[in-house]
Amino acid sequence: AILAAIVQRLSPGPLRGRHVIVTSGPTHEPIDPVRYIANRSSGAQGTAIGRALVAAGATVTFVTGPAVVPPPADTTLVRVETAQAMHDAVMAALPADAVVCAAAVADWRVANAGAQKMKKSVDGLPVLTFAENPDILAAVSRLGDGRPALVVGFAAETQDVTRLATQKRARKGCDWIVANDVSAGTCIMGGTENAVTLVTDAGAEDWPRMGKDAVAERLVARMVDVLTAVTP
Amino acid sequence: AILAAIVQRLSPGPLRGRHVIVTSGPTHEPIDPVRYIANRSSGAQGTAIGRALVAAGATVTFVTGPAVVPPPADTTLVRVETAQAMHDAVMAALPADAVVCAAAVADWRVANAGAQKMKKSVDGLPVLTFAENPDILAAVSRLGDGRPALVVGFAAETQDVTRLATQKRARKGCDWIVANDVSAGTCIMGGTENAVTLVTDAGAEDWPRMGKDAVAERLVARMVDVLTAVTP
């Protein structure tokens, strides 16, 4: 954290003095001490965004689930496992000028998670009940006075991407949605490339397929436009 | 596979000419295109056993789920994701002189896994139904004429380890159970050390806590005793 603060103070970029929180990676939701529910997010896109924000001079708090790729350097790093812990870490890291919710957060957790390992021979087939997890994107978007100037969400869809992402933007109350098609054939989830649609109040822009680093740089350039038009 | 065959033919070890199948790592059971059920197995113990078997001169087929640690060198490597695929790969790799089932195989899969991503906004809380996965250890143990001379299973328990492992040995029909306590406080699952109890027809032996490589070498030494007493 001290190093991050020094790096940030010395860096000349356009986001110098701005605090951005990035969430990244999957969350793991326990079923019992050895089993959990996960998702295929590698953390690659969130990590690339964190790196691009650091390069632009921002002070970055990087809240990550158990990702495959290593986290970006020179950030305040917070490692979490569950959606609830990620929510709490984001709230604790506020205030911020912007929040980028790139993590693939589990919508729900197992309400009847066991303290002991479930036994096939004793328990038979499991009956899992679920509870809704806190919605980090909606919670940040609906903050009153402390709402960040820019709240960016992600949407991983397998069909009808633009329509669903536009609905998601309205439902969550965020400013932008970065939407992508994670269908099996696209090789996006876990891969190095991304083909996204940016949904803002001005509508939907389809960006060409490019590396996740390039998506991150383009997104951060757009963030610079918005954030430098706002008095910090 | 060709390299593995050459290495095996040149190696002088006591298991030269013996074929051993090792399963390792977790399995992933899909919920929908992006979500899955996993477990905390890193594949470290199974990989160490594969390596020790290669060092002892065995021809090793290494069937691994999505593990954290890289697989051992000089084996016939089969990568799988689900328990069903692991079962099929083991059956396809038979006959074998011994099978070591070190993988943490999911007992059940999601019977109503979705072809599209589940949507919180549309589908609400999920209702997952489960189906029992094939039991690889029991299936191999109960083979008729083609049964391997030695079938070794693993038991990951969080309580009452020896009693449950002894019951498991009888229930599965395998020769040995290597049992360990994977309670959170032990740091065994995902860690580098292991403290196991070997359950055989002669009873239960508690081994002292040691590195997973040392557990593997000691286990393979015991396997050599049994397998070299059997005409191949």
Side-chain angles (χ1 to χ4, degrees), chain B residues 145-232:
Chain B
D145 279 351
R147 187 189 189 281
L150 183 61
V151 180
V152 183
F154 274 67
E157 306 290 351
T158 51
Q159 54 187 338
D160 207 1
V161 173
T162 300
R163 191 178 62 84
L164 293 174
T166 303
Q167 289 176 357
K168 183 172 183 175
R169 178 178 175 273
R171 202 168 59 240
K172 305 287 186 178
C174 61
D175 301 296
W176 298 350
I177 288 278
V178 181
N180 51 24
D181 183 345
V182 296
S183 303
T186 64
C187 300
I188 282 174
M189 212 148 191
T192 58
E193 292 195 328
N194 209 348
V196 309
T197 301
L198 178 66
V199 178
T200 71
D201 60 353
E205 297 168 28
D206 291 325
W207 292 4
R209 190 171 175 121
M210 59 183 96
K212 289 183 178 178
D213 282 337
V215 169
E217 282 159 26
R218 190 159 165 172
L219 181 69
V220 169
R222 294 288 290 266
M223 292 178 68
V224 168
D225 291 344
V226 172
L227 291 173
T228 55
V230 178
T231 310

Side-chain angles (χ1 to χ4, degrees), chain A residues 37-55:
Chain A
I37 294 177
N39 64 65
R40 297 185 195 284
S41 169
S42 64
Q45 186 62 77
T47 297
I49 291 166
R51 207 157 39 221
L53 286 164
V54 169

Side-chain angles (χ1 to χ4, degrees), chain B residues 54-70:
Chain B
V54 169
T59 300
V60 176
T61 300
F62 192 78
V63 182
T64 181
V68 174
V69 301

Side-chain angles (χ1 to χ4, degrees), chain A residues 120 123-127, chain B residues 107-108 130-132:
Chain A
K120 177 166 71 168
D123 302 326
L125 292 174
V127 178
Chain B
D107 290 327
W108 20 265
F130 294 94
E132 203 166 311

Side-chain angles (χ1 to χ4, degrees), chain A residues 28 30-40 81 107-108 115-121 124-126 128 130-133 135 156-159 164 171-172 182 189, chain B residues 28 30-40 81 107-108 115-121 124-126 128 130-133 135 156-159 164 171-172 182 189:
Chain A
H28 286 181
I31 297 174
D32 68 14
V34 299
R35 301 178 174 94
Y36 59 92
I37 294 177
N39 64 65
R40 297 185 195 284
E81 177 155 341
D107 290 326
W108 20 265
Q116 299 294 341
K117 185 183 172 190
M118 283 190 253
K119 310 287 297 173
K120 177 166 71 168
S121 52
L125 292 174
L128 301 184
F130 294 94
E132 204 167 310
N133 274 326
D135 188 324
E157 306 291 352
T158 51
Q159 55 188 337
L164 292 175
R171 201 168 59 240
K172 304 289 186 178
V182 295
M189 212 147 192
Chain B
H28 287 180
I31 297 173
D32 68 14
V34 300
R35 300 176 173 95
Y36 58 93
I37 294 177
N39 64 66
R40 297 185 195 283
E81 177 154 342
D107 290 327
W108 20 265
Q116 300 292 341
K117 186 184 172 191
M118 283 191 253
K119 310 288 297 174
K120 177 166 69 168
S121 52
L125 292 174
L128 301 185
F130 294 94
E132 203 166 311
N133 274 327
D135 188 323
E157 306 290 351
T158 51
Q159 54 187 338
L164 293 174
R171 202 168 59 240
K172 305 287 186 178
V182 296
M189 212 148 191

